Every structure is written in structure tokens, then in C-alpha cells.
Amino acid sequence: MQIGFIFRQLPALYGVAKLELLNKLGLIDILLKRQHGYLKIEKYPNIEESRKTFMSKQKNKLYIALISIHGLIRGKNLELGRDADTGGQTLYVIELAQALSRHPDVRQVDLITRRVVDEAVADDYAEPVEMLSDNLRIVRINAGPDEYIRKEQLWEHLDEFADNVATFFGTSGQLPDIIHSHYADAGLVGTHLANLFGIPLIHTGHSLGRVKHSRLLAGGLKAQEIEDRYNMTNRIEAEEKTLATAERVITSTHQEIEEQYDLYDYYQPEQMCVVPPGINLKQFKPPIGEELNSAIFDEFVQHLKEPNKPIILALSRPDKRKNITVLVEAYGQSSRLQEMANLMIVAGNRDDIDDLEEGAQEVFHELLVAIDRYDIYGKVAVPKHHRRDQVPMIYRIAATSGGVFVNPALTEPFGLTLIEAAASGLPILATEDGGPRDIIGNCRNGFLIDPLESSTITDALLKLLTDKKLWQSCVEKGLKGVRANYSWDAHAKSYLNLIRPIAQRSEKLIRKPLRRRAELYRDRAVVSDLDQNLIGDDRSLERLIAVLREHRKSTLFVIATGRRLDMALRVMKKHKIPEPDILIVSGGTEIYYAPELTVDNAWARHIDSMWSPNKVRKILDDFPGLEKQPKSEQSRFKLSYYIDPEIADIKEIKRLLYKEEQSVHVQMAFGQYLDILPLRASKGMALRYVADRWQIPLEYIFVAGGSGADEDMMRGNTLAAVVANRHHEELSQLPDIDRIYFSDNAYAEGILEALDHYDFFNKYKDSKEIKHYHVSA
């Protein structure tokens, strides 16, 4: 009889209980330890000696309880993408559990989730215990109704879940050394258990409520709709309580800490640790040499004139933030790049571009226009379809060809595709914003590029494609760096180094005296134009940025500019202006939200009503005194002209457009710039839209402006100010000019002066009771 076979048939028994049963069976072979996935068998003369040896060697190993409540979790055939709750987090916790269980310093891993008994899902999810290996099991806990429900409906059942987990720990006869909660719901349960049993809590947020709230507003939902549908108050309260209790919070990148967790009242930097997630190195691996003979290669290169050239590969969603068009421009502007390589852009799946959502349509329109502008047909492939399971092969095809992977996104919180590409044998180029800094810093397998300057992409690509030794060095460093930093085994090693002293109580977080604001969301906003307000005096700008960061938890920072998104980001970068919480660009026609520049599509739909830009262009084509500004200043909802006021009369322009039944908003700035916008669009209208979405009264909004384009932001109930260098005659017509504060100082110093004048950060301070959550575990 095989001892390993018998041992695996006893999933409910652990440690001594198994040994005693084996002794009763008359077996002397004892399973002593498990290392690297292999069972080791040793023989001892008697069971007592074996028991003592076994217990001694198990004593210093860790028992880790991972809690991930929502979604459908099982050990094989994961149903990823079945719904919004069964996705990346599900895969993450399974692969984390498996990696930890393989480590020799881990005695036991329990992945605790909710039990589901529902005919609509597989019977697997009803099994109370699912053994994945000798020391890894999925434990399913009853809570709430039997059937499968989405995570937003789980909040009222979490107390029951926590009590049942506590009962499970009690009946199993052992407490975990560490509890690791995943997402806000598990964080709330983990907080309860940590305080009940005195067990250290580790937490991973995966997605944060405050950030999600911004994205949902951008998606067109109103605040009350968000609350009704997503229970956002419960979620954010749970996240605050978790931060008040957890010994450590694990994130994927430093940017996640600085731009997301920093919004929380109980955030403190010492609590945060970056441990990047691992990837599956069996799936993403270097090429074997047969990739160019595959059917997918033939399909993808069918429109290329010279398909055997190296492939410059980009792979992302058709999202404006992914900035794919700049890669086409970099390629199109370099005849040398075109001679050396082909360009392949894999941007989602499509049958008909007109059937895609508006943002994706706009991306493909820009791509196709750029391809046509540079006449690079036959050199660029934009495949229409690919399956998820083909992605590793796509990377390997590019690697086999001697190509390069490029991620030119405007912002990239993590950069998983970069790790996948590196693991597949590709050198990488990536935006210098966000997670790629960490990845290239760890792997040293490519270069950071400025996503707003196509020349930096061209130069880096030529450097890699013309130097085979450099290309090969980047490939080798990437493979080595991924294995050392981004494999699941590497993740488990870093993770255990982090939690071991916490589990042993030799390291404890020293908590600062933090307190909770009474307001759930930020309750005021500072709004400023970019040019001649923020820009002009870098020293005072630094002081203003420091003040805004100090009050970040209570105050939204909003930039409203006439510049296009890419031009605004370029100027902000040059002057080291941090990404604002809300960025209003192109004269109020586009609104973007941090931390990922999420576009507000609801605003775009709202202002699109009766907008006919082609007709407007035709009407104004030959108008005396008007000259079109460069393409860099034009956008979907903004037509920009230079105007000579000596020749062109703005009142006459308005009359002509209205006569032609064009519903437009006409505005002039600095006496020389004329913008034609949709009737519903302006900086002021965009600001009031944002105020309504965030439910911030206009009396709580400070606005620093100065040109005619800022006029309607400064009307009404906002706290308006004009800095000294912008005392412009365009504002002299304001009916309520007496209520505007005119600063004696210029630029950012003038903004600071005006904020002091209004006593802005102390005004309307809420006197509600402050909430205190921290209970030491």
C-alpha cells in the first residue's frame, strides 16, 4: 500500500491525527515533509519518535488563511470572465495560494470563500472543502442565501460569514498565523477575525472604492445611482476599517500607493508594501522556433508586403489612454524604421468599427487616418480578431521575428503586458509613467519612453533594432528578471519574507494617531486654468502643489484648460505638475479622471447634441480674419482658429453661425484665440457638471481664471479669483465682477493669496463627530 496515496485520502485530518491513524493501520512510513511539490518518505523505528520529529519540523512553518469571498472559486477550470466578480482577483488568489503551498516554509494554506448551492452554477462551488494538494484546500463557508449573488449584495451577510469562519477555526483546532484578506468585503471579515483572535491581518485591495467611484461617475452614473447599485458607502467604510487594522497592505506598484491609497484617512506609508503579482511562466515562455510556421502568423501578416521583417508589437484595448496612435506616428515619420521592421497593433476584437463604442471608434479612426497620412499600407497590420489563449503565441511570434514590444500608454498603473512580453523573449519599450518604471528598473530589458514625444519611441526602437547584441542582452535580462521578480515563486518568496516577522510578532506596525473625516467623499475643489495661472513661477507652483497635496483627502484638484489632452499633459510634465483629480481639456469639451485618465463618456454624449463640426468648418472656411490653428489644437468637439479682431468681429461670427442654424458656443481668449464648441460645452458648464456629479456645492469651489474662456467658470456662486498677471479686459464685462478677488501676486503665488483670502481650507469645516476605527489586533 502506498503511504502517499493513503495520506492524500485523509483531507480532513492534519498533523498528529494523520500520524495516529497511520499508526493504527500499522504503517511505519511517515510523511515527514513536502518540498517543491514532491513527497519525501522517511522511516522511523516507532511512531512516537516520528510524531515528535514531525511536530518539531512543522512548528516553525506557517499556516496562512487567504480570504476571498465573492465570485466563483475552484481549483481547476476557472470560469474567468463569467461575470464581473469572477475575473482577475479569482485567478490571483488561486495562483497565490498554489505558490505559497509549494514553499517549504509553509505548513498549510486555506483559501476561504463563500459556499454556493445553485443549479445555475457547477456543483463544485457547493463542496465545503476542496483539496488541491496535501497542504492546500479551498474552504467554502455558508453565508446568506444558498444561491450565487453578486458582491454588492453580500454586505448584509458578512457578519454571518465572519462568525462561521471563526467557528471553522475553532472546530479545526488551529488558528492561522496570518489572515490575508482580498478586496473590501474580505477586509471587513478579516478585520473582525484579526481583532477577535489577535491574528495579524494582511490585506490586498485589488480595487478601491474611492477610485471606483470616480470611474462610475465618468461612466455617466449619478452619485445616488452609484450608492444604490454598488453600496459604495459600505465599501469605503470597510476599506477604512481594514486600513485601521491591517499590519501590512500589499500593492502591485508604488503608483497604486501614492495615487490611490493616499486618498484614505487611515492610510500611512509605513503600512504599504509593493509585492508585484506573478505570471504563469508555463504559459508565457520564450519561442521554440516554430512560431513563424503557425496559422495565426499567416493570418496576422497576410496584408504585409514583407512579412518576415521584425515585428514592432503593441497589444492593448482600443482606448484613447493607450495612446496607440503615437506609435503609428513614430513609425510613419521614420523611413529607416519602415525599412527595418513591420508594425503590428493588436487592439481588441472587431467585426465593424461602426459597431464599437464611441471611444473605440475614435481610436480606430485616428489609427486609420495616421496610416493613410504616412502611406504605410502593407507595413502595418491591425488584425481584427484574436482569442485570449492566442496572446502568448502572439508575443512569441514577435520575439521569433526579432521584434520589440511597445506600450506607449499615457498612464500605466501596472503593466502586465510588459511582463508577459518579457517572459516571452521580447525587449520592451514603455511609458515612463507608472508601473513600467518598476518593471524596467527590475528587469533592465528595455527603455522608458515619453508617450507624448514620438521621437523618443523612434530613437529607442532604432537603438534596439540596429544593435543585435543589445537586443539579445535585453531578451536575456528580461527572461532572468521576470523569473527573479515576477514569477509566482518569486512572489511567494518576497511575500513570506514580508509576513514571517509579522507572524512571529517580532515586527509590528507603529500606528500614527490618524482620524477619520466625517465626510465620505471630498467636499470641496480647487480649479485653475493651466497657462499663466499654474505656469509662470515654478517656485510658487511648488508651494501650491504642496498645499494641495496636504489637503488632498478633502479637496479635489481640477485643471481646466483650452489645450488638448496630449498638449496639456506635455506642459504639466514639463513643469512637474502632478496629475489632477479631474482634468478638463479642449475648452471644456473633454473631462478625464485620475488615476488612469478615465474619460467621461457621459459628458461626451451630453454635448454631442446638435454638434455638426463639418458644417461649421464649411461656414467659416473663408471668413475674413480667421485662420485655422494647427491640427494639434483641434479635437472632436473643438474647432480652434486664430482671430484678428481688427478684421473679424466675434459678434458677426456668432450671428452667421446662428443664422445657419448651428447650435454652438463661441468663445475668445486673450484677444487672439477663437474656439467653436458644442452649445452645451464650456469650461463653466463642465465645471458645473463635475460639481453635480461629485455633489459639491459651488460655494465650496475655488476658481482661478483670467481669460474670456474662464468667464462662465467665475460667474455665479463659485469663489472666483484672478491672479495679478491676468487682470484682462475680457473679464471686465462680468456683471458680478465686484465679488471676484483680484490678487496682488502673479501666477501660483496669486492663487495661494486668494485661497488665504477666502480662508478656503478652513471654511465650512464639518463639525460632525470624527470616526475612530482602530482596534489593535
Side-chain angles (χ1 to χ4, degrees), residues 284-322:
F284 296 97
K285 56 190 177 184
I288 59 175
E290 299 177 358
E291 286 76 12
L292 302 188
N293 297 322
S294 64
I296 187 174
F297 174 75
D298 292 338
E299 179 186 347
F300 276 28
V301 302
Q302 60 181 313
H303 299 300
L304 297 176
K305 294 176 182 176
E306 299 178 71
N308 292 320
K309 286 182 178 181
I311 293 172
I312 300 168
L313 174 66
L315 189 152
S316 71
R317 302 185 310 277
D319 186 316
K320 194 171 184 178
R321 294 168 295 174
K322 297 303 180 181

Side-chain angles (χ1 to χ4, degrees), residues 472-496:
Q472 187 61 38
S473 173
C474 286
V475 170
E476 293 171 0
K477 287 179 180 177
L479 294 172
K480 184 178 179 180
V482 168
R483 189 166 293 278
N485 296 283
Y486 299 104
S487 68
W488 275 111
D489 287 341
H491 179 95
K493 181 179 178 181
S494 298
Y495 177 96
L496 290 169

Side-chain angles (χ1 to χ4, degrees), residues 173-202:
Q174 57 178 342
L175 291 175
D177 299 295
I178 287 286
I179 294 173
H180 185 169
S181 56
H182 295 265
Y183 192 79
D185 50 11
L188 189 63
V189 170
T191 295
H192 176 87
L193 296 170
N195 290 322
L196 178 64
F197 293 113
I199 302 170
L201 176 66
I202 308 296

Side-chain angles (χ1 to χ4, degrees), residues 342-544:
N342 291 314
L343 176 61
M344 182 178 293
I345 296 172
V346 181
N349 291 287
R350 67 189 189 279
D351 290 315
D352 188 324
I353 291 175
D354 287 342
D355 293 335
L356 300 175
E357 59 94 19
E358 289 180 4
Q361 286 185 36
E362 188 175 353
V363 168
F364 277 110
H365 173 76
E366 291 179 355
L367 281 177
L368 296 176
V369 167
I371 291 170
D372 187 74
R373 178 183 301 128
Y374 298 109
D375 194 15
I376 46 180
Y377 296 102
K379 300 176 183 179
V380 181
V382 190
K384 295 187 69 169
H385 298 283
H386 72 282
R387 299 193 312 271
R388 179 173 179 165
D389 61 1
Q390 291 176 322
V391 170
M393 175 61 84
I394 295 171
Y395 288 128
R396 291 197 291 273
I397 285 171
T400 304
S401 76
V404 179
F405 182 77
V406 184
N407 179 340
L410 293 173
T411 180
E412 184 58 76
F414 180 51
L416 181 61
T417 56
L418 296 172
I419 300 172
E420 294 172 349
S424 304
L426 277 167
I428 60 176
L429 301 182
T431 178
E432 58 193 358
D433 178 85
R437 292 197 303 263
D438 295 336
I439 294 170
I440 290 182
N442 287 329
C443 296
R444 302 189 179 280
N445 63 328
F447 301 100
L448 295 172
I449 52 94
D450 182 345
L452 299 169
E453 297 290 348
S454 61
S455 61
T456 66
I457 301 175
T458 303
D459 294 344
L461 282 170
L462 288 172
K463 189 179 294 186
L464 283 167
L465 292 171
T466 57
D467 188 337
K468 291 301 179 185
K469 287 186 178 179
L470 175 62
W471 185 92
Q472 187 61 38
S473 173
C474 286
V475 170
E476 293 171 0
K477 287 179 180 177
L479 294 172
K480 184 178 179 180
V482 168
R483 189 166 293 278
N485 296 283
Y486 299 104
S487 68
W488 275 111
D489 287 341
H491 179 95
K493 181 179 178 181
S494 298
Y495 177 96
L496 290 169
N497 288 339
L498 169 68
I499 70 165
R500 190 178 290 107
I502 297 171
Q504 294 170 347
R505 307 301 201 273
S506 61
E507 185 177 301
K508 188 172 179 63
L509 179 68
I510 305 302
R511 294 190 180 274
K512 296 178 179 178
L514 302 172
R515 65 178 190 172
R516 180 75 199 282
R517 293 181 306 113
E519 292 296 327
L520 187 65
Y521 302 112
R522 286 174 280 187
D523 60 357
R524 62 199 65 211
V526 169
V527 184
S528 176
D529 195 354
L530 191 56
D531 296 281
Q532 300 191 49
N533 268 22
L534 297 177
I535 297 171
D537 179 3
D538 286 345
R539 288 188 177 180
S540 60
L541 176 61
E542 286 181 13
R543 291 196 295 276
L544 174 61

Side-chain angles (χ1 to χ4, degrees), residues 69-73 83 85-86 90 113-114 116 148-149 154:
I69 301 172
H70 63 259
L72 296 170
I73 299 177
D83 55 45
D85 292 350
T86 308
T90 301
T113 189
R114 179 173 170 269
V116 177
Y148 183 55
I149 56 177
L154 285 172

Side-chain angles (χ1 to χ4, degrees), residues 718-743:
T718 58
L719 305 175
V722 180
V723 295
N725 56 295
R726 300 195 70 180
H727 293 181
H728 202 279
E729 63 180 17
E730 290 174 358
L731 295 177
S732 62
Q733 304 303 315
L734 281 173
D736 50 356
I737 195 169
D738 292 341
R739 52 168 291 281
I740 296 176
Y741 180 77
F742 286 83
S743 296

Side-chain angles (χ1 to χ4, degrees), residues 569-600:
L569 292 174
R570 184 176 288 127
V571 170
M572 287 163 53
K573 179 179 178 181
K574 179 180 178 181
H575 293 274
K576 299 180 180 178
I577 300 171
E579 183 180 288
D581 299 295
I582 300 172
L583 182 56
I584 299 171
V585 299
S586 293
T589 61
E590 298 174 25
I591 303 173
Y592 295 89
Y593 298 87
E596 297 180 29
L597 291 175
T598 304
V599 65
D600 193 322

